Amino acid sequence: MSRDGEATDATEAGDADAVEEPPVDTGDAEAPAGGADTPSHRPATAAIHAGWDDGPAARSRSPPIHQSASFGFPSAEAAAETYALREQRDVYTRISNPTTRALERRLAALSGGTDAVATNSGMAAVDTITTVLAQAGDNVVAGAEMYGGTSSYLANTASRRGVELRAVETTEPDAYAAAIDEDTAYVHVETLANPSVATPDLAAVAEVAHDHAVPLVVDNTFATPALCRPIDHGADIVWSSTTKWLHGAGTTIGGVIVDGGTFPWDHPDADYAELSGENPAFGFDFVERFGDRAFGAVARHRGVRALGNAQSPFDAWQTLQGVNTLPTRMERHCENTRRVAEHLREHPDVAWVRYPGFADHPTHDAAAEYLDDFGSVVVFGIEGGYEAGVAFCEAVETISFVANIGDARSLVVHPASTTHAQLDEAAQREAGVTPDLLRLSVGLEDPADICRDVDQAIETAVATASDGGASS
C-alpha cells in the first residue's frame, strides 16, 4: 500500500504494488507445488497465499509440516540428476523441504526476489552470504551503524577466515566508494540501522557498489518487506532475521536470504568463483544453469548445504503463521510507535528521542523516500545517562526487558550494556550507540498502556540515577 493509502488495480500488468511469486522449478511432478501460476497479488494477499497452492496429494489449504529428514527418489536416474543439480526436488531437509520452501517462496514473492533460502537464524543468513561471496584476502564494506551481532561477526569471526571489515559512515555514499577496492566482496547496509534507526540512501549506495562491480547486500530486518523492498532500490541480496516482525510472536528463531536476481555475477570485473565459471564443487557455471536465480542456488547448495544451517520445517511452519498477518501487524506497530515517540518527546525527563518519522531525524528524508512507514523502533535517552538507562529496563512492567525486537509485546534493552557490549565506547558511538541509549521495540498493546509503563519506569529510573543507584 502506498503511504497515502491510495489503491490501484493490482490485476493490471506492471502494478508496482503487486507482488509476483518467483518461478518454481520442482523438476518432479510429485513434489509439492509452489504456486508458480499464482497471479500477482498485493502484499496483504500475498502474505497469506504466496508459495502454496494446496499441494497435489492431501489438498491441505494451509502448508503442513513435512517433518521428514529425507525424501524418496522415483528412480536411480532421478537421484543422479538431482545430485548433479540438473533437476530440482527435495532430497534432504538440510538442503530443502516442502514446508520450508513454502516459506521461502512466500518471502521471495513479498520481497520482489527471484528465490529465497531460509536459515536457522539471521546470523546464519549473513554467514551464508559471506561464505559464498568472500574468501581470504577479501573485505566487506559496511555502514558502521549496524546490529552489534553483525559487527562482531564481521570483525571477529569472518576476520578469522581472512575477511576484513571496513566500517564506513553509514549515510555517506562517498565513504563507501573510498573504501571499496578490487578485493571487496560486497557492500552491506541496513534499511533501518540497529539501533540508531538511520536509513542510508539505498539507491546511491547501490550505484556506488555497482560502479565497482560489487553487489549490495541489505539487512531488511527492521523494515520487513511490508515497509521496504530494497531490491526495488538497487539491492542485489536481502537478508533478515525472521525471528522478529516476520514471525512476530517471539517464539521461533530463523533467518532468510532473498536473491534479487539482479547482479551480473559474470561481469568481467567481478570475481565470484562460486557463481561464475566452473564451480569448485559442482564443476559447472551456476549463472549459466540458474540464470537470475544463481545466487539463491549457490546459497542453498554451497552455503546451507555445507554449513548445516537450514531452517527446520517446524520453525518454517511457525514463521508462515506470522507472515500471514505481517502487513496488518506492521500497520498497527507503526501507528503505536508514532504515538509512543510523540509521548516520549513531550516527557520532561527524556533528554532526547530519535524516531525516523520526526522531521528532525538526520535521515528522515531517506526514510520517507524508501519506507512506506517509519518502523516500530524508537530510541531515546533519559536524564541520568547510563545508570538511568539500566534502571529503566529494570523498572518496566508491561514492557519486557529482553534482547529482542519485533515481538507482539513491547520490548526494551540498553544496548551499551547488552547487544553492543562487545564493542568499546568509540566503536559503540560509531555504531550509533551512546551510553544512555534505550531501544524500544513498540508492540501491539494499547498505546496508552505502553505510555503509562514508560512514565512509571522513567520516574523510577531518574530517581535511581539521582540517588547513585540506591533506589529500587
Side-chain angles (χ1 to χ4, degrees), residues 318-350:
Q318 288 270 43
T319 301
L320 279 165
Q321 313 315 302
V323 176
N324 283 337
T325 60
L326 175 67
T328 301
R329 285 187 291 106
M330 290 306 294
E331 288 181 9
R332 178 62 182 269
H333 273 298
C334 293
E335 177 185 345
N336 280 3
T337 304
R338 172 170 285 279
R339 292 183 61 178
V340 172
E342 290 172 346
H343 181 79
L344 285 166
R345 185 165 58 177
E346 299 301 320
H347 198 291
D349 289 322
V350 172

Side-chain angles (χ1 to χ4, degrees), residues 8 18 44 55 76 116 121 125 136-137 178 186-187 195 220 229 259 287 295 329 337 383 405 422 425 431 435-436 444:
T8 56
S121 69
Y186 63 88
V187 171
N220 198 37
R229 302 204 317 178
D259 182 358
V287 172
F295 182 81
R329 285 187 291 106
T337 304
E383 300 297 342
I405 49 173
Q422 289 178 284
E425 186 170 339
D436 61 340
L444 302 178

Side-chain angles (χ1 to χ4, degrees), residues 12-299:
E12 294 181 6
D15 186 333
D17 284 338
V19 294
E20 187 171 350
E21 286 202 71
V24 178
D25 180 12
T26 65
D28 184 351
E30 297 182 0
D37 297 326
T38 300
S40 297
H41 288 305
R42 294 176 71 82
T45 307
I48 297 170
H49 292 282
W52 186 257
D53 64 357
D54 298 357
R59 307 301 298 171
S60 57
R61 194 62 194 96
S62 297
I65 304 172
H66 290 80
Q67 195 66 35
S68 179
S70 58
F71 302 88
F73 295 109
S75 67
E77 180 182 1
E81 291 295 289
T82 301
Y83 268 90
L85 304 191
R86 286 187 290 267
E87 292 185 7
Q88 304 300 303
R89 57 168 49 82
D90 296 311
V91 173
Y92 197 63
T93 286
R94 177 164 50 81
I95 305 170
S96 68
N97 175 282
T99 306
T100 310
R101 288 298 286 149
L103 173 64
E104 292 167 342
R105 291 164 188 157
R106 187 164 298 180
L107 293 178
L110 285 170
S111 304
T114 57
D115 199 3
V117 179
T119 57
N120 58 19
S121 69
M123 293 310 302
V126 72
D127 183 41
T128 299
I129 293 167
T130 305
T131 296
V132 300
L133 292 186
Q135 57 187 339
D138 286 349
N139 63 76
V140 173
V141 175
E145 295 180 53
M146 64 179 133
Y147 169 52
T150 305
S151 176
S152 180
Y153 164 78
L154 290 171
N156 302 315
T157 302
S159 63
R160 290 173 60 87
R161 305 173 189 170
V163 178
E164 174 193 2
L165 167 62
R166 296 182 178 178
V168 301
E169 177 60 43
T170 300
T171 59
E172 297 295 333
D174 290 345
Y176 296 87
I180 296 171
D181 62 20
E182 61 183 10
D183 295 319
T184 299
Y186 63 88
V187 171
H188 183 272
V189 297
E190 299 177 357
T191 43
L192 280 164
N194 181 2
S196 71
V197 290
T199 298
D201 186 336
L202 294 175
V205 176
E207 182 177 3
V208 167
H210 296 160
D211 283 347
H212 292 81
V214 173
L216 174 61
V217 176
V218 176
D219 176 357
N220 198 37
T221 299
F222 267 45
T224 81
L227 302 185
C228 180
R229 302 204 317 178
I231 293 165
D232 294 344
H233 305 293
D236 302 292
I237 300 164
V238 175
W239 70 277
S240 298
S241 167
T242 62
T243 312
K244 313 307 192 293
W245 291 271
L246 287 169
H247 182 279
T251 66
T252 306
I253 302 294
V256 69
I257 304 164
V258 179
D259 182 358
T262 53
F263 190 79
W265 301 107
D266 54 356
H267 189 286
D269 293 331
D271 181 19
Y272 296 100
E274 292 286 356
L275 288 120
S276 179
E278 185 175 307
N279 184 275
F282 287 93
F284 61 77
D285 188 312
F286 270 72
V287 172
E288 290 181 357
R289 181 164 297 185
F290 293 99
D292 64 2
R293 292 184 294 133
F295 182 81
V298 165

